[in-house]
Amino acid sequence: MSEWWTYRPSDFLMFAPRTYWRLFELHNQAWWPAPWLLLPAGLFGLGWLVRRPGPALRAGACALAVAWAVVGWCFVRERYAQVHWVMAWGAWAFVAQAVVLAGLASRPDLQATTAPAVRRGGLLLCGWALLLQPLLVLPFGRPWTQAEVFGLAPDPTVIATLGLLLWASDESTFTRALLNAAWLLALVWCAVSAATLWTMGSAQGWVPFMAGAAAAGLRWKARQAP
């Protein structure tokens, strides 16, 4: 038997890259025409966030709670866990995040940040998740049917969540704890997704990594401001 230190990350990958991307194709087909409906809904939410940040922030947290629950149960548990048993536990992390976001949506002290740079960063992340993440099929030579769509696929849903969380500030210890939990779960998924994609040999792993790093950097900068 080989010694444990001789193993590479690819030795623990339980599926081929084409199997991974096929999961999105099957999921999009099963939920058709939801991929086309979620885009205008998300863009409407972004416009509302810009015009009326307070109520839109709580409504967005509620909508994202539903999205995390759907993605966690219908994609991660029902599809992803079929090719990687660890994702059976990952699905529960998505459900936990749904509960945390629902809790945030109910908090009257959840306020929108006034920092312009942080707001812009949040909008850019949300815009990427809605508009550009699905287009990654083009440079990587995959069919449109395998596009990763916000509200159905994990990565764009998580990146949009980071964008919304950048807009959020708090006035109580409990709300701060909920925000910290939401940040932690979202950033952990970015790390897991990046590691998985890199292990598959896909340069797309830089997308969740850079999204998580940029969001964490902006949050740190905002918290250091007087």
Side-chain angles (χ1 to χ4, degrees), residues 57-84:
L57 190 61
R58 288 186 288 274
C62 185
L64 283 170
V66 174
W68 276 76
V70 170
V71 172
W73 207 252
C74 299
F75 180 83
V76 179
R77 182 181 182 274
E78 298 297 327
R79 298 192 187 278
Y80 202 172
Q82 303 305 310
V83 299
H84 200 313

Side-chain angles (χ1 to χ4, degrees), residues 24 27-28 31-32 34-35 38 67 70-71 75 149-154 156-157:
F24 296 99
H27 195 55
N28 289 335
W31 282 81
W32 185 265
L38 289 168
V70 170
V71 172
F75 180 83
V149 180
F150 163 77
L152 293 179
T157 303

Side-chain angles (χ1 to χ4, degrees), residues 4-221:
W4 65 268
W5 57 80
T6 65
Y7 286 94
R8 297 172 298 174
S10 58
D11 294 323
F12 298 95
L13 196 66
M14 300 180 181
F15 49 85
R18 65 180 180 180
T19 300
Y20 177 78
W21 298 117
R22 173 70 171 160
L23 296 176
F24 296 99
E25 183 174 359
L26 295 173
H27 195 55
N28 289 335
Q29 291 173 352
W31 282 81
W32 185 265
W36 289 103
L37 301 177
L38 289 168
L39 174 59
L43 292 176
F44 172 81
L46 272 187
W48 188 19
L49 184 64
V50 172
R51 291 193 301 271
R52 299 197 59 191
L57 190 61
R58 288 186 288 274
C62 185
L64 283 170
V66 174
W68 276 76
V70 170
V71 172
W73 207 252
C74 299
F75 180 83
V76 179
R77 182 181 182 274
E78 298 297 327
R79 298 192 187 278
Y80 202 172
Q82 303 305 310
V83 299
H84 200 313
W85 65 269
V86 173
M87 288 301 143
W89 295 98
W92 288 107
F94 271 75
V95 173
Q97 180 74 306
V99 173
V100 170
L101 290 169
L104 281 172
S106 70
R107 300 297 299 168
D109 65 317
L110 183 67
Q111 304 294 328
T113 181
T114 58
V118 177
R119 285 191 172 199
R120 286 194 295 269
L123 289 177
L124 286 173
L125 285 174
C126 290
W128 175 279
L130 289 169
L131 298 172
L132 298 182
Q133 184 82 18
L135 298 181
L136 288 178
V137 295
L138 297 177
F140 289 99
R142 300 192 300 271
W144 280 108
T145 52
Q146 295 180 0
E148 297 171 89
V149 180
F150 163 77
L152 293 179
D155 282 8
T157 303
V158 173
I159 293 171
T161 302
L162 290 172
L164 188 76
L165 290 175
L166 279 172
W167 275 66
S169 63
D170 59 85
E171 295 182 0
S172 73
T173 302
F174 184 68
T175 302
R176 188 176 305 115
L178 289 174
L179 281 172
N180 288 338
W183 271 99
L184 176 63
L185 289 165
L187 291 174
V188 166
W189 178 264
C190 286
V192 169
S193 181
T196 300
L197 290 165
W198 284 332
T199 303
M200 287 167 42
S202 174
Q204 191 171 322
W206 285 104
V207 172
F209 176 82
M210 292 302 296
L218 283 170
R219 184 178 187 241
W220 180 83
K221 181 179 179 181

